[in-house]
Amino acid sequence: MQIPYRIGFGYDVHRLEEGYDLWLGGIKIPYEKGLAGHSDADVLLHAVCDALLGAAALGDIGVHFPPTDMAYKGIDSKILLKKTCELIRQAGYEIGNIDATIAAEAPKINPHIPQMKTIMAEVMGLTSGEISIKATTTERLGFVGHREGMEAYATALIMKRQ
């Protein structure tokens, strides 16, 4: 029996370092440090990609966009998200909704969430009402609390096309 609904979970983490831009949810946020990585290191979009790929049992972001491939060096993660959505639809699924959380001590994320939702909805072919983004701190605990990095968690619901 084929179940028409599937859920997936995604997680990503990157170090905060000087000399990088801070990209979250497809937008550039002013801050003295940015996230370091092979691509633009957008932890939110990477977590969403992994949630979608996991829901469809298509592996993870590293399988489809490996950090060893120089074609993805410095790439805009919105491109990775768009390609991930195409993979999901090619596999016969539609995206129901996304629920994500960003853990960061600074800068303040909440003022940027409406713009993130708008950009992500455009890239994914969804409405902003189908995307939930929340932000939290770790109460100054761990690497996030010490402002050494950021992490993001995401869940995705997909449905088999009839």
Side-chain angles (χ1 to χ4, degrees), residues 2-161:
Q2 188 174 36
I3 299 170
Y5 298 98
R6 298 174 62 111
I7 60 168
F9 173 77
Y11 170 78
D12 195 41
V13 60
H14 283 279
R15 286 182 324 277
L16 274 167
E17 293 185 8
E18 291 181 8
Y20 290 88
D21 291 326
L22 178 57
W23 287 94
L24 284 174
I27 66 169
K28 186 176 170 182
I29 297 175
Y31 191 57
E32 69 244 15
K33 293 181 180 180
L35 295 168
H38 184 70
S39 66
D40 65 7
D42 187 324
V43 292
L44 176 58
L45 297 191
H46 294 183
V48 170
C49 287
D50 269 350
L52 289 164
L53 292 166
L58 293 176
D60 63 29
I61 193 170
V63 168
H64 296 277
F65 315 109
T68 55
D69 188 337
M70 292 310 290
Y72 303 114
K73 178 73 176 156
I75 195 167
D76 182 336
S77 292
K78 291 187 297 291
I79 295 168
L80 304 181
L81 180 60
K82 185 172 184 64
K83 289 179 183 236
T84 297
C85 291
E86 290 169 1
L87 289 169
I88 298 305
R89 292 183 175 110
Q90 287 169 6
Y93 294 97
E94 288 301 323
I95 301 165
N97 72 297
I98 301 295
D99 183 23
T101 302
I102 302 165
E105 206 66 35
K108 293 288 184 196
I109 304 300
N110 281 331
H112 304 285
I113 288 175
Q115 186 181 4
M116 289 180 194
K117 289 175 62 172
T118 298
I119 294 296
M120 289 173 63
E122 287 175 16
V123 170
M124 299 177 74
L126 301 175
T127 68
S128 60
E130 294 165 321
I131 299 170
S132 171
I133 302 170
K134 302 169 301 296
T136 191
T137 69
T138 59
E139 299 294 327
R140 296 184 294 230
L141 297 172
F143 72 92
V144 172
H146 295 136
R147 298 180 184 194
E148 296 170 1
M150 292 183 183
E151 57 190 353
Y153 304 85
T155 57
L157 173 71
I158 62 173
M159 296 99 38
K160 194 72 172 168
R161 253 187 266 122

